[in-house]
Amino acid sequence: MILTILCLFLPSLHATISRMHVISQPGSEFLPIDSSELLLSTMAPNRRRCAIACHNQWACRTFDYDSISQRCRLYEGDLTTGSIVTSSSASSIVMSIELSSNTCASTHNQPCEACIDSRYEQCLNNICQCPPRTYWNGSECLLQLFQNQTCTQADACRKDFNLTCLPTYINTFTYCAVTTVPVGTTVAGQVDGTAGSATDSLSTPRGLAVINNGTTLIVADAGNARVLSFNLLQKSTGSVIMTTPSGQYPSYVMAYQNSIYVGNPAGSLVQILPSNATIPLSAPYLQSCSLQYFNAPSGISMDSNGSIYVAGQGCHWITRWTGAIPSSVAGISGSYGSTSQQLYFPSGISIDQQYGFLYVADSSNHRIQRFDLDGSNIGITVAGGYGPGPAAYQLSNPLDVCVSQKNGAIYIADYGNNRVQRWDINATAGVTVAGDPAGSPGVTPTELNGPFAITLDPINEAFLYVSDFNNNRILQFPLT
Ligand SMILES: *[C@@H]1O[C@H](CO)[C@@H](O)[C@H](O)[C@H]1NC(C)=O
Ligand SMILES: *[C@@H]1O[C@H](CO)[C@@H](O)[C@H](O)[C@H]1NC(C)=O
Ligand SMILES: *[C@@H]1O[C@H](CO)[C@@H](O)[C@H](O)[C@H]1NC(C)=O
Ligand SMILES: *[C@@H]1O[C@H](CO)[C@@H](O)[C@H](O)[C@H]1NC(C)=O
Ligand SMILES: *[C@@H]1O[C@H](CO)[C@@H](O)[C@H](O)[C@H]1NC(C)=O
Ligand SMILES: *[C@@H]1O[C@H](CO)[C@@H](O)[C@H](O)[C@H]1NC(C)=O
Ligand SMILES: *[C@@H]1O[C@H](CO)[C@@H](O)[C@H](O)[C@H]1NC(C)=O
């Protein structure tokens, strides 16, 4: 490769003069991977004039010039988003603007006086920043990449093409992928996230369930110490169907036919509506890790025989009640840890009726464990398990899991990452179905702030419902 430097003496307002390098042999031209990289195709009497034209367009990084036809083409791309190919004209060459760490390091994040004449950085929100369609990689402004190009940083992909840097498998490269942003509808609580105690508002909602053929939403409105019912056929205010003593927050909710079960951690029991019976019957409030008691009951589920499963969060195990008979099905009571037999603050749980699997959101191990219901008590990690983090193969404090009865995929309330992930069977990474894939919290219809619990619409799983804990609202997302 020939490398020469053409120093420009420009009669321009810019104090910083771009250095230009010839980066090809004669007889070459630039081939961008995306045609949108071509900014301008014009004529110039000589190579220097073509270079000045490039210098004067902030987006231009590369140009090719043919001294016979005098064609001067300016490209936004560089060798990361295009390549040098043989030209039909022997007089065509490719040149590029010099970019190196010292072209922006002295201006980046400085007050705007620093970049007022800069070729490389722009004044945005009163500080010098990388121009649009570039990102700061720690030392310079690099071009954002196109679809399927490998990337290593979250903001490395063309945002204007709706691309994000998608981590796929552990220890493999990531690439820029199109992500469609799911938009949620607020079906309970306030759209703007305001908490309240009137029946049109919620305060730190926890568990939720959808019953009556998808027409009724039940919400554990924890901060208001009550359980509300909403009619989903019309935008409605809630009806109070249960109150708990102040400070005794209702937690997870499980609906089965016309029964509704609510975990009540402070009371250490499960209350059943509409009969108001409890499990165990007349249980005293005891923070005991023995079978007969619940210590901070969280997730609740039911198998095809009608046995009820409850995650005893405070004792790190899951117990099953068949009628009045309790037994242990997963975890070791009072012993938390990360072996295949242990759990660490188990939260939401879900049963796959078809295959006899119990899924557990093993929150402080940042993983989802799957157990056979045959009582073997050995869990296998089916999602996460690589420490807390926002990569697609990670989870961060998952608080709920919900298995699709259609295809066995699991949906996960990835609380610490402010998103809901779907992991298909045997997947090694999740796909974001609600919230920001990168994990940032927010209150717009595409964002979540601490998703606590999730449930699937009982009618063909057409919708996903999310209790958006810190936004004091319940969102409904269409599933495709
Ligand atoms: C930024 O990218 C350049 C060019 O690829 C590379 O030389 C440099 O080391 C990168 N800086 C950081 C901090 O990764
Ligand atoms: C990226 O990869 C996908 C899947 O292989 C393919 O369908 C698509 O056409 C590719 N896009 C580009 C721009 O190469
Ligand atoms: C990016 O997504 C937005 C919102 O969904 C859409 O309006 C826009 O057309 C998309 N842009 C491209 C280039 O696909
Ligand atoms: C439940 O809803 C579905 C679709 O909305 C409808 O086709 C079906 O008839 C309903 N079933 C009952 C029992 O109301
Ligand atoms: C259940 O308890 C609630 C108070 O939490 C009460 O309003 C309701 O009438 C009770 N229901 C039954 C069937 O006893
Ligand atoms: C349900 O009961 C049957 C008969 O007792 C038993 O074979 C089966 O294993 C039970 N299912 C579960 C999920 O426990
Ligand atoms: C999926 O995992 C199961 C074990 O859970 C295994 O038996 C099966 O072969 C796997 N399927 C594929 C396609 O890897």
Side-chain angles (χ1 to χ4, degrees), residues 35 92 158 276 280 288 387 400 466:
S35 58
S92 173
R158 287 283 293 243
N276 285 348
S288 159
D400 202 8
V466 183

Side-chain angles (χ1 to χ4, degrees), residues 158-163 178-181 183:
R158 287 283 293 243
K159 291 208 175 40
D160 53 334
F161 290 173
N162 295 334
L163 298 174
V178 180
T179 53
T180 49
V181 185
V183 180

Side-chain angles (χ1 to χ4, degrees), residues 58 68 76 83 88 133 150 242 268 293 323 374 379 390 393 403 407 412 479-480:
W58 64 263
I68 292 177
E76 184 183 358
S83 52
S88 57
R133 299 195 290 279
T150 57
M242 174 184 166
S268 285
Y293 302 109
D374 65 8
Y393 59 83
V403 63
N407 55 28
I412 302 163
L479 293 178
T480 47

Side-chain angles (χ1 to χ4, degrees), residues 128-253:
C128 297
Q129 294 177 36
C130 292
R133 299 195 290 279
T134 67
Y135 72 103
W136 182 247
N137 82 330
S139 54
E140 58 191 271
C141 297
L142 297 184
L143 212 59
Q144 285 180 340
L145 304 167
F146 291 90
Q147 192 178 4
N148 299 346
Q149 285 188 283
T150 57
C151 53
T152 54
Q153 280 184 254
D155 47 1
C157 305
R158 287 283 293 243
K159 291 208 175 40
D160 53 334
F161 290 173
N162 295 334
L163 298 174
T164 54
C165 186
L166 188 74
T168 52
Y169 305 110
I170 300 146
N171 296 331
T172 66
F173 288 107
T174 61
Y175 64 96
C176 296
V178 180
T179 53
T180 49
V181 185
V183 180
T185 304
T186 296
V187 292
Q190 300 295 319
V191 177
D192 67 0
T194 312
S197 59
T199 50
D200 65 351
S201 296
L202 300 171
S203 175
T204 56
R206 297 189 181 209
L208 76 176
V210 173
I211 57 170
N212 290 341
N213 202 20
T215 62
T216 303
L217 170 73
I218 308 293
V219 179
D221 185 17
N224 289 318
R226 65 188 181 186
V227 178
L228 294 177
S229 168
F230 292 87
N231 179 357
L232 287 170
L233 297 180
Q234 62 206 59
K235 175 77 183 150
S236 70
T237 56
S239 313
V240 178
I241 58 168
M242 174 184 166
T243 55
T244 58
S246 179
Q248 295 195 9
Y249 305 121
S251 64
Y252 290 79
V253 176

